[in-house]
Amino acid sequence: MSDEPEKLTTKEAAAFIRRSPWTLRQYAATNQIPFYRLPGGQLLFDRSALLEWLRIERPRPKRPERKADTMGVYPRKDSPFYWMSYFTADGKIQESTATDSLEEAQQVYKRRLEELARGVWRHPKNRKLPFGELIDQYLESHAFTKIAPATQRMYRQRLAIVRERFGYSQVLSLTADDVDEFVKDRLDDEASSTTVFHDVATMIRVLNWANEKRLIPYLPFPTKGLKPNRAEFLSQVLGVEQEKAVLLAAEPYQRAMIIAALDAGLRKGEIFGQRWEHVDFGRNILAVSKSKGGTKGAGRPIPLTARLHATLAALPRECEQVFTYRGRPILTDTKKSWYRILEDAGVSGIRFHDLRATFSTRLEELGVAPMVSMALMGHKRKSVHDRYSRPQLPSLREGVAKLDSWLRENGLNEAEPRLRAVE
């Protein structure tokens, strides 16, 4: 007598006839194989019935045909928006287009297919990235830490303003209209157009970086034309009498910095970073220790004027920095002290940076070749250099002199000129 059981479970019966449990259930459902259903729903099969069934060839039941997998845009009864489905390496993806416009939904669907083709597609669950989080990632990135400290400070200031407005907004949900409204509000708050330009430019810089690093699959809006026009850079030139008043009102340590800007065209950051090791009194040359943008412009030689030579020679050498206050290097901005000097001198409308523009303009008025002036200023492009000098002042003076000569020839240079027709 065999010890094998006569009653087999579904799994045991499927193994006995070498079919899948699903196939076995289909045979039972069509009454091709007798079975017993227990109260709990479990099926039992007779071994003898299975042996009898194996003697007769029977076709395997066909699986029901699956509906063809669809791709594209479609409406859903439970959503006010159109949805879309497409296939990726992760399988079939279904996501909302977040729009009730069929045309816009088709554009979103087309964009997803383009992302797949370019290899920049991201799963929908990874698309919900707040702009504030993106800013944090940028500030910790190598792209940010490699730039000059002064530029880092400027970016942090600008991004603090951007975070206040868009910190909780989803990056990919931002639109050009959002940025336009931001620009309008900033200008209404009396921020200068140049400041707002830098706000938007820094924001776009973060988005471009994120797109390059594939943190976002695409830029959420076209960036062209969003930045407001910067205010025209109008350098003011310090007059001779104004210069005398400013130098008289300044403290000795301040006077040294003012003369360095007027006689060598040094930027404020270059003045703060200047070291004694780069001042050669024997050759009467100052080499710029540290310039704008890290190394750009650093090391350029500037011959010393007699006034600047005497001023630097009289300074105490208490540390490696040239310009100090009470034995400590001056490393911070001097706007408050500068405007206090202007107030005491009775001068207005002059920024410290305009001293550098005064240096450039004086060189041009004296007929110094533009290439020489650019080398002294540390400019690489003439377009930048022209922003500091009043355009072609010698030519302008010559043009006005010709007009003055014409006025004299036509008797129009009197204190109370008579009206006269021009021939």
Side-chain angles (χ1 to χ4, degrees):
M1 186 174 179
S2 175
D3 293 335
E4 293 180 351
E6 290 298 321
K7 303 296 182 183
L8 304 177
T9 63
T10 302
K11 187 175 181 180
E12 294 171 340
F16 181 72
I17 65 173
R18 298 181 181 179
R19 301 288 193 277
S20 68
W22 181 88
T23 302
L24 181 62
R25 292 192 189 94
Q26 291 297 107
Y27 285 140
T30 57
N31 296 318
Q32 297 183 43
I33 298 179
F35 65 91
Y36 304 93
R37 188 185 299 276
L38 299 180
Q42 183 180 4
L43 303 182
L44 292 179
F45 297 88
D46 273 325
R47 181 185 296 274
S48 57
L50 293 176
L51 288 172
E52 182 66 24
W53 180 85
L54 287 174
R55 295 191 186 98
I56 305 173
E57 291 187 5
R58 299 181 184 275
R60 294 189 177 187
K62 294 182 179 181
R63 287 181 176 271
E65 294 184 3
R66 292 181 60 187
K67 295 182 179 179
D69 291 323
T70 56
M71 293 177 58
V73 178
Y74 58 92
R76 278 180 46 162
K77 294 181 179 179
D78 59 344
S79 173
F81 303 130
Y82 280 96
W83 281 61
M84 59 184 172
S85 63
Y86 50 91
F87 289 93
T88 69
D90 297 335
K92 186 176 181 181
I93 301 295
Q94 294 176 302
E95 65 169 308
S96 171
T97 63
T99 177
D100 57 0
S101 168
L102 179 59
E103 182 179 356
E104 293 179 1
Q106 289 172 341
Q107 291 176 355
V108 175
Y109 172 67
K110 181 180 178 181
R111 192 160 57 200
R112 290 292 182 274
L113 298 183
E114 291 174 351
E115 293 169 13
L116 287 168
R118 291 165 45 208
V120 297
W121 176 83
R122 296 181 72 221
H123 198 280
K125 67 181 181 181
N126 296 329
R127 292 175 180 270
K128 296 182 179 180
L129 178 65
F131 198 84
E133 183 178 332
L134 189 63
I135 291 175
D136 292 337
Q137 293 185 39
Y138 173 72
L139 295 178
E140 296 174 359
S141 69
H142 176 65
F144 176 77
T145 57
K146 72 178 182 180
I147 59 181
T151 308
Q152 288 184 15
R153 289 194 295 272
M154 189 272 286
Y155 282 175
R156 288 185 185 276
Q157 292 172 355
R158 305 278 61 82
L159 290 175
I161 300 296
V162 174
R163 183 199 296 273
E164 184 178 348
R165 181 63 172 262
F166 299 114
Y168 294 101
S169 301
Q170 300 297 324
V171 176
L172 296 180
S173 67
L174 292 174
T175 64
D177 290 340
D178 294 331
V179 181
D180 284 338
E181 187 176 352
F182 168 70
V183 169
K184 182 179 180 300
D185 291 344
R186 289 282 287 144
L187 294 175
D188 289 344
D189 290 339
E190 298 184 355
S192 70
S193 57
T194 300
T195 299
V196 181
F197 175 92
H198 288 302
D199 291 342
V200 179
T202 309
M203 178 181 181
I204 293 174
R205 181 184 180 91
V206 173
L207 290 173
N208 285 326
W209 167 82
N211 188 29
E212 291 174 2
K213 296 298 181 181
R214 296 190 176 183
L215 298 176
I216 56 175
Y218 55 86
L219 296 179
F221 48 80
T223 58
K224 186 176 181 180
L226 290 177
K227 294 178 284 188
N229 294 327
R230 289 186 286 186
E232 185 181 357
F233 184 86
L234 295 176
S235 300
Q236 300 297 319
V237 177
L238 194 67
V240 175
E241 296 303 322
Q242 289 178 321
E243 179 179 333
K244 292 179 180 179
V246 166
L247 291 175
L248 187 62
E251 297 290 335
Y253 77 95
Q254 297 169 328
R255 191 177 302 118
M257 292 190 294
I258 293 171
I259 293 175
L262 286 170
D263 289 10
L266 295 182
R267 301 177 176 92
K268 191 184 298 183
E270 293 171 345
I271 293 174
F272 294 159
Q274 190 61 41
R275 297 196 295 270
W276 281 115
E277 61 182 301
H278 298 140
V279 179
D280 188 342
F281 288 110
R283 297 174 60 209
N284 201 41
I285 284 178
L286 176 151
V288 178
S289 300
K290 185 177 180 181
S291 186
K292 180 181 179 181
T295 59
K296 183 172 62 176
R300 71 178 187 275
I302 302 176
L304 300 176
T305 63
R307 179 172 68 164
L308 182 56
H309 185 287
T311 300
L312 294 180
L315 293 178
R317 301 193 182 187
E318 301 169 308
C319 64
E320 63 177 8
Q321 305 296 119
V322 174
F323 300 96
T324 60
Y325 176 66
R326 294 183 178 179
R328 295 183 179 182
I330 302 173
L331 302 175
T332 57
D333 202 346
T334 57
K335 280 186 179 180
K336 290 184 179 179
S337 60
W338 171 248
Y339 287 114
R340 190 179 301 117
I341 293 172
L342 293 183
E343 184 178 356
D344 293 343
V347 177
S348 62
I350 299 292
R351 302 169 301 171
F352 189 89
H353 196 70
D354 290 332
L355 305 182
R356 175 173 161 83
T358 301
F359 170 75
S360 176
T361 302
R362 287 175 178 176
L363 292 179
E364 188 170 352
E365 285 190 300
L366 294 170
V368 177
M371 293 302 295
V372 175
S373 180
M374 287 176 62
L376 291 171
M377 294 281 288
H379 288 152
K380 302 297 182 183
R381 298 190 304 275
K382 193 173 185 304
S383 60
V384 175
H385 183 70
D386 288 344
R387 292 169 58 194
Y388 286 82
S389 304
R390 292 300 85 211
Q392 305 299 326
L393 275 173
S395 300
L396 296 179
R397 294 186 187 279
E398 182 180 354
V400 173
K402 290 180 179 179
L403 175 62
D404 191 40
S405 176
W406 180 86
L407 291 173
R408 286 197 302 271
E409 291 174 2
N410 290 273
L412 297 175
N413 61 331
E414 301 177 8
E416 295 181 1
R418 297 181 297 272
L419 294 178
R420 181 174 176 178
V422 178
E423 296 180 359

